[in-house]
Amino acid sequence: MRTQQGTPIRRDAYQPLAYTVATVDLDFMLDPQETVVTNRMRCVRNPDAPAGPLVLFGEALERLSLSLDGQVPAAGQVREVEGGLEIDVDADEVLLEVVTRIDPSANLTLSGLYQSRGGYYTQCEAEGFRRITYFPDRPDIMARYTVRLEADAATCPVLLSNGNLLETGTLPNGRHFARWEDPFLKPSYLFALVAADLKALERRVTTMTGRDVLLQVWVEARDLDRVGHAMDSLIHSMRWDEEVFGLELDLDRFMIVAVSDFNMGAMENKGLNIFNTKYVLANPETGTDLDFENVESVVAHEYFHNWTGNRVTCRDWFQLTLKEGLTVFRDQQFTADMMARASDSADAAASARAVTRIANVRVLRSGQFPEDAGPMAHPIRPDSYQEINNFYTATVYQKGAEVIRMLHTLLGREGFRNGMDLYFSYHDGQAVTCDDFVGCMAEANGADLDLFMRWYSQAGTPRLKAEGVYDAASRSYSLTLSQHTPATSGQPDKLPLHIPVAVGLIGADGADLPLQLEGEARAGETTRVLELKAESHSWCFTGIDAEPVPSVLRGYSAPVILDIAEDDTRLAFRMAHDSDPFNRWDAAQRYMERVILALAADKAAGRPMQVPQAFGHAFRALLTNDSLDPAFVAETLALPAEAYLLERMEQADPAPLRAALIHLLRELGQALQADFVVRYMDLEVEGDYRYHPADAGRRALRNLCLRYMMAWGGPTAVQLAILQFQHAGNMTERYGALAALVQSDSPERCKALEAFHERYRDDALVLDKWFLLQAGAWRWADSAPATLEQVRALMGNPAFSLSNPNKVYSLLGGYFKANPAEFHREDGAGYAFWAEQVIALDRNNPQVASRMARALEGWRKFTPEIQARIRPALERVAAAEGLSPDVTEIVGKALA
Ligand code: B3K
Ligand code: ZN
């Protein structure tokens, strides 16, 4: 049975259960405080498992009755054990009926069955189903479900569950019911129900084989004007999966439901996806371009899970990346294709793809690299965990997607597709492992991927070193690649990985050279994928007339840190000429990172800060280059994330880093003011708002110009910001102007914040932005109020609530995670506040508390003085009474 609290669960301890479940028939009598769940299931002995009792997990359940084949169990036949029940069964098959009572209104964990704004919703992944009824709640138990829901007709006119609707009817006392049947086998984590007062936007579409299907997006009536984009995104996702992978929707009805209180982004329940409102609702007045993009990609992600996750699922939770890494990769490809498709030239399409890739890599570098360098470092397939909910990580998701992308790079588009086809032909309807997936990729392509499997077992970000030597006499260029993965907690020794490295060589005129590898017939390509499989290997390129500039890791072909000796001139050269847009962006970011870290070092040492002139020139050259796609330029001139920069410091120190960033923004804002103004004026988007990459790119660069100008804060800048704020035709412009004002010391910032609040006071999602912006505010003048005091004050705003995850993520998450200089203030008050809030949150919602707790897990990267201030806060949380396993694991690992 489930282990004792605090003992880790190990991947190598996997055992199939002695009894599985063939069919489940659930009956819900919904009531806010006393919901009664009757669960009748046919349990069958598993011939492939060692003999043992029937195991049922259960948590926070009140058991009203239990029978076996209609009989009261014999004395001692049913045993209560930690985490559930064990039942001795003689027969190969038994019909078990268990009736439980639960209290949805008191369920603030938002796991299991809970209430939000008067409705009932479920969240079962990973282990929420056991909070609804007793069940062998593991992903390898796949069963057929039928569900009957009964609720008050006035407050919950809509009754939904997975699959197809069989029957509805009215009952006495104002109640009504619905019966649903899911024709597909599914694990319990994909179960869902919704009973609420909702309205749907509906569309009927025809699938690739000519089946007519019904699509619905369910929201509260007041939000119906914000669901069009989610519906379009769903239809685009369906088409894309048909075209690219030959995968069709397998149900007659597919539903998306939006709920305001939700721990994560969304959930892929079979046929009934439940979403955080943040990833469904978007219209021009309330959603930014980024919101539109996020809605599209999350809708796609959850839809794609229908095949990668639902039809083929995970054998155990250690295999989580099997569905998550693969599905993130699929949604990234989808977004890139959608962006490219909307572009009006091949160049624009290539740039749009690069912009998508850049966004993916930004998330990896700022979210996953720190994780890989801290106490929570784990392979994409972890070896152990204490609380599975802590392992829905950037490593499992984002690095997992990079691992799938490497397979795609190594096998090619067609080879990858063949591997996917084989995967579904072997494993449809099964719960499998990552080895099964990679095995199909290998078999379909006759490829040897044994070495590649190390990506699944080794944690830590590999360092890739590239060194080139030009030999004029032989007209050859030799490139040596070597790799090294630093030790991570629990994994001191690392082995070499199989790394695809895309490489190009740039000639003095800025054009790519055709590549000819010594001893190889094939020639002419300008980018080659080199496969590094050992600690070090050299490649020799021939027929090269003069020393080239190498462009290594094009398109970011592997999730590694590239170490390459490049002086400023070379970086500026690649920033201007690299034909690979990703690497061109990367060159700019490397240059900017170098400048920022040098400024921070000057600040820390008490020396005056001085932005190098050459950098200013290179920056200006990009800013004024109007032949480049504005979206790309915006990415190139945007600051690297502070979280990533902290990772790159010898000893992380947020205060001088922040001073460096402010200095850089101000200096550039002043020196290039005229260029910023010209660009700003040119980029105005005419006409009605449309979510389109070309328009979004212009708005992004325009907002970036405003941000630099406002950092300097001349009167023109202030005037432009106020005008944009007041006359914005959409949220991207309004929010962009507000952000520029807030990130400045202009007295106008307060007025703008008030006006924004006034305008959107009843709009929860827009207020989340308002909270986030203030939580993330930098201090541009010593006289400015401290952010912590602002955050505390904002917690008293009637729109704020500790029990709404979105509010917590915006205000507290914004402060703990997106504002390092203010959070790590010298008096340690930020840490005391953190401890207080983590403990308070943990009483109600351990998953949310744990996410906030993770803000300090990387504490050992900071200077010794900062560490000394953080430790007591960690110890205070660790010592708190009744701490959840979720937070216990995080602070335990941090302090270990
Ligand atoms: N599979 C869910 C995540 C569930 C998180 C549980 N703590 C959403 C997704 O990845 O699509
Ligand atoms: Zn997912």
Side-chain angles (χ1 to χ4, degrees):
M1 186 92 246
R2 178 154 177 153
T3 60
Q4 246 161 311
Q5 267 232 3
T7 4
I9 304 185
R10 297 197 49 84
R11 179 163 66 87
D12 55 18
Y14 173 82
Q15 281 283 344
L17 289 176
Y19 282 84
T20 62
V21 180
T23 60
V24 194
D25 185 24
L26 297 167
D27 187 309
F28 289 86
M29 306 285 255
L30 292 164
D31 177 89
Q33 283 88 34
E34 303 196 339
T35 287
V36 175
V37 185
T38 304
N39 168 7
R40 294 179 200 89
M41 51 186 165
R42 206 155 54 76
C43 305
V44 282
R45 197 194 298 277
N46 179 359
D48 301 326
L54 167 60
V55 168
L56 303 175
F57 299 91
E59 202 178 290
L61 302 173
E62 183 189 347
R63 177 153 49 106
L64 300 181
S65 71
L66 188 152
S67 70
L68 297 160
D69 288 327
Q71 309 286 310
V72 178
Q77 193 181 359
V78 176
R79 290 181 296 281
E80 301 223 6
V81 294
E82 189 180 346
L85 302 175
E86 284 180 2
I87 304 175
D88 293 328
V89 179
D90 278 338
D92 285 344
E93 202 177 307
V94 67
L95 186 72
L96 187 145
E97 180 181 296
V98 58
V99 182
T100 48
R101 184 156 51 204
I102 50 182
D103 182 352
S105 70
N107 181 4
L108 301 177
T109 64
L110 311 188
S111 164
L113 176 66
Y114 65 93
Q115 285 205 287
S116 171
R117 297 174 53 85
Y120 300 85
Y121 302 84
T122 54
Q123 171 54 37
C124 292
E125 187 175 1
E127 297 178 338
F129 193 68
R130 64 188 63 183
R131 300 171 56 83
I132 294 174
T133 182
Y134 284 99
F135 196 79
D137 185 19
R138 308 191 340 180
D140 57 346
I141 304 294
M142 297 179 83
R144 273 187 71 130
Y145 286 65
T146 46
V147 178
R148 181 180 179 281
L149 310 170
E150 187 185 314
D152 179 55
T155 51
C156 298
V158 175
L159 304 175
L160 310 174
S161 191
N162 317 85
N164 301 319
L165 181 62
L166 298 178
E167 187 190 359
T168 58
T170 50
L171 296 165
N173 301 323
R175 298 197 47 101
H176 70 151
F177 75 94
R179 286 203 311 119
W180 291 81
E181 173 189 58
D182 185 347
F184 291 95
L185 289 178
K186 69 164 173 285
S188 49
Y189 81 86
L190 291 175
F191 167 81
L193 76 75
V194 170
D197 188 1
L198 303 173
K199 293 275 180 285
L201 172 67
E202 296 192 349
R203 288 272 186 287
R204 289 200 164 271
V205 295
T206 308
T207 68
M208 63 193 261
T209 62
R211 284 182 27 252
D212 183 45
V213 297
L214 172 64
L215 309 179
Q216 297 178 315
V217 182
W218 292 94
V219 296
E220 287 186 37
R222 56 169 193 182
D223 292 327
L224 266 177
D225 63 342
R226 301 189 194 185
V227 290
H229 180 62
M231 179 61 88
D232 291 345
S233 303
L234 178 58
I235 296 171
H236 292 146
S237 308
M238 285 180 60
R239 292 290 171 244
W240 185 88
D241 222 9
E242 292 179 344
E243 282 161 25
V244 177
F245 285 107
L247 298 172
E248 187 183 18
L249 176 61
D250 53 9
L251 289 160
D252 300 336
R253 173 201 282 254
F254 189 88
M255 298 171 281
I256 288 178
V257 174
V259 58
S260 307
D261 298 286
F262 203 66
N263 283 343
M264 338 71 72
M267 178 65 212
E268 70 263 25
N269 316 300
K270 185 75 186 187
L272 180 56
N273 289 358
I274 299 183
F275 272 60
N276 188 323
T277 45
K278 181 173 164 60
Y279 296 107
V280 178
L281 306 179
N283 68 15
E285 169 65 13
T286 59
T288 60
D289 290 324
L290 182 62
D291 291 319
F292 276 77
E293 189 182 325
N294 287 338
V295 166
E296 184 178 75
S297 82
V298 179
V299 166
H301 180 98
E302 306 311 330
Y303 176 76
F304 296 157
H305 267 315
N306 192 48
W307 281 93
T308 50
N310 301 6
R311 287 288 286 256
V312 185
T313 194
C314 302
R315 186 193 70 173
D316 55 75
W317 290 123
F318 294 102
Q319 317 298 328
L320 185 56
T321 200
L322 171 77
K323 73 178 178 81
E324 295 304 347
L326 177 55
T327 305
V328 171
F329 172 71
R330 276 153 53 70
D331 85 52
Q332 291 178 349
Q333 294 292 86
F334 165 77
T335 300
D337 284 351
M338 292 296 290
M339 303 276 273
R341 195 180 299 173
S343 309
D344 51 15
S345 71
D347 277 356
S351 177
R353 283 183 191 284
V355 167
T356 311
R357 184 70 187 126
I358 289 164
N360 303 155
V361 176
R362 270 191 198 276
V363 173
L364 185 82
R365 286 182 176 167
S366 60
Q368 198 275 329
F369 282 15
E371 185 167 275
D372 237 351
M376 272 290 284
H378 53 276
I380 62 167
R381 175 162 67 178
D383 291 317
S384 74
Y385 60 75
Q386 290 171 40
E387 171 51 59
I388 183 57
N389 284 317
N390 283 335
F391 283 81
Y392 286 75
T393 57
T395 299
V396 167
Y397 277 65
Q398 268 70 40
K399 186 174 178 182
E402 294 297 323
V403 170
I404 301 294
R405 182 178 297 273
M406 287 190 286
L407 286 172
H408 191 266
T409 302
L410 290 168
L411 304 173
R413 183 203 299 255
E414 216 175 298
F416 188 84
R417 167 69 196 266
N418 292 339
M420 290 286 279
D421 290 350
L422 195 64
Y423 176 62
F424 292 117
S425 78
Y426 283 173
H427 299 300
D428 189 12
Q430 296 177 359
V432 304
T433 66
C434 300
D435 308 275
D436 294 320
F437 178 79
V438 179
C440 288
M441 286 290 157
E443 187 182 327
N445 290 281
D448 178 357
L449 295 172
D450 288 355
L451 184 60
F452 188 84
M453 279 310 292
R454 284 187 189 156
W455 282 104
Y456 283 85
S457 55
Q458 214 162 264
T461 309
R463 320 255 340 187
L464 177 73
K465 193 166 175 191
E467 286 167 300
V469 179
Y470 179 64
D471 180 38
S474 60
R475 293 173 58 236
S476 69
Y477 182 77
S478 133
L479 183 70
T480 301
L481 299 176
S482 37
Q483 59 169 307
H484 164 73
T485 304
T488 51
S489 57
Q491 264 192 352
D493 303 313
K494 306 285 183 176
L495 297 164
L497 296 156
H498 182 173
I499 307 179
V501 186
V503 169
L505 299 177
I506 311 171
D509 61 352
D512 275 348
L513 303 176
L515 301 180
Q516 170 73 60
L517 274 173
E518 192 175 41
E520 234 189 43
R522 170 174 159 210
E525 292 157 295
T526 51
T527 299
R528 280 292 299 265
V529 176
L530 308 177
E531 295 186 34
L532 179 64
K533 295 180 179 176
E535 221 156 89
S536 176
H537 189 85
S538 300
W539 284 264
C540 185
F541 296 95
T542 56
I544 303 207
D545 291 328
E547 175 157 20
V549 170
S551 168
V552 180
L553 211 65
R554 283 186 158 176
Y556 201 62
S557 60
V560 301
I561 295 174
L562 174 65
D563 293 317
I564 181 166
E566 282 184 301
D567 59 15
D568 292 355
T569 323
R570 202 172 249 203
L571 280 176
F573 176 79
R574 286 207 301 113
M575 201 164 149
H577 299 295
D578 204 319
S579 71
D580 180 67
F582 178 86
N583 264 10
R584 193 168 181 183
W585 167 80
D586 192 53
Q589 292 281 299
R590 280 170 183 264
Y591 198 177
M592 198 181 289
E593 171 189 323
R594 182 176 296 178
V595 168
I596 293 167
L597 295 184
L599 293 173
D602 286 340
K603 176 73 185 175
R607 294 186 295 264
M609 293 186 280
Q610 183 84 46
V611 179
Q613 264 198 355
F615 177 75
H617 290 316
F619 187 100
R620 179 168 187 271
L622 280 174
L623 173 64
T624 55
N625 184 343
D626 53 17
S627 67
L628 288 171
D629 166 24
F632 177 77
V633 177
E635 284 293 352
T636 309
L637 303 183
L639 298 175
E642 267 179 302
Y644 175 65
L645 292 168
L646 285 171
E647 227 41 54
R648 305 287 291 167
M649 294 175 99
E650 204 76 57
Q651 281 190 335
D653 196 351
L657 175 63
R658 177 63 60 80
L661 293 172
I662 289 181
H663 185 78
L664 180 70
L665 284 168
R666 275 194 171 140
E667 289 274 296
L668 292 172
Q670 180 186 20
L672 305 179
Q673 182 170 196
D675 298 301
F676 281 122
V677 173
V678 169
R679 212 64 175 107
Y680 179 88
M681 295 302 188
D682 283 352
L683 287 164
E684 183 164 359
V685 182
E686 307 280 343
D688 283 346
Y689 176 92
R690 49 171 200 162
Y691 170 64
H692 185 281
D695 289 4
R698 294 173 73 94
R699 284 187 285 264
L701 184 52
R702 201 161 185 257
N703 281 338
L704 180 118
C705 291
L706 197 58
R707 173 94 201 268
Y708 276 94
M709 287 190 274
M710 272 309 297
W712 166 241
T716 317
V718 178
Q719 215 180 357
L720 291 176
I722 293 173
L723 278 175
Q724 180 175 323
F725 180 71
Q726 289 174 342
H727 302 290
N730 55 68
M731 181 54 83
T732 309
E733 290 172 357
R734 195 177 312 279
Y735 188 69
L738 182 67
L741 285 162
V742 169
Q743 295 298 12
S744 79
D745 63 1
S746 159
E748 302 295 332
R749 59 194 295 281
C750 297
K751 258 194 266 169
L753 279 167
E754 265 168 47
F756 191 86
H757 181 259
E758 197 46 41
R759 186 178 180 118
Y760 298 106
R761 58 180 323 131
D762 297 319
D763 195 311
L765 290 178
V766 180
L767 288 181
D768 289 339
K769 298 181 195 305
W770 183 76
F771 282 118
L772 176 69
L773 205 48
Q774 296 176 82
W778 299 4
R779 289 179 77 199
W780 292 80
D782 291 340
S783 57
T787 309
L788 175 57
E789 275 62 57
Q790 299 282 98
V791 171
R792 272 197 191 277
L794 286 167
M795 287 182 75
N797 185 294
F800 182 82
S801 160
L802 264 192
S803 56
N804 175 251
N806 286 358
K807 291 286 170 296
V808 174
Y809 299 151
S810 292
L811 187 60
L812 303 185
Y815 179 63
F816 299 144
K817 295 181 180 187
N819 201 348
E822 293 300 311
F823 176 39
H824 295 270
R825 48 190 261 170
E826 245 177 58
D827 63 1
Y831 311 136
F833 177 65
W834 169 87
E836 184 189 310
Q837 296 309 322
V838 169
I839 293 169
L841 285 166
D842 196 46
R843 283 186 208 115
N844 291 333
N845 191 331
Q847 287 187 42
V848 172
S850 166
R851 283 213 205 177
M852 294 301 108
R854 295 199 60 186
L856 279 181
E857 78 188 22
W859 67 298
R860 289 188 209 267
K861 68 170 163 271
F862 292 100
T863 64
E865 299 76 43
I866 296 178
Q867 287 187 39
R869 293 197 285 268
I870 296 176
R871 181 185 279 279
L874 284 165
E875 286 171 345
R876 179 171 151 206
V877 172
E881 219 175 294
L883 206 62
S884 67
D886 310 58
V887 176
T888 304
E889 177 168 31
I890 301 301
V891 291
K893 284 183 174 166
L895 286 166

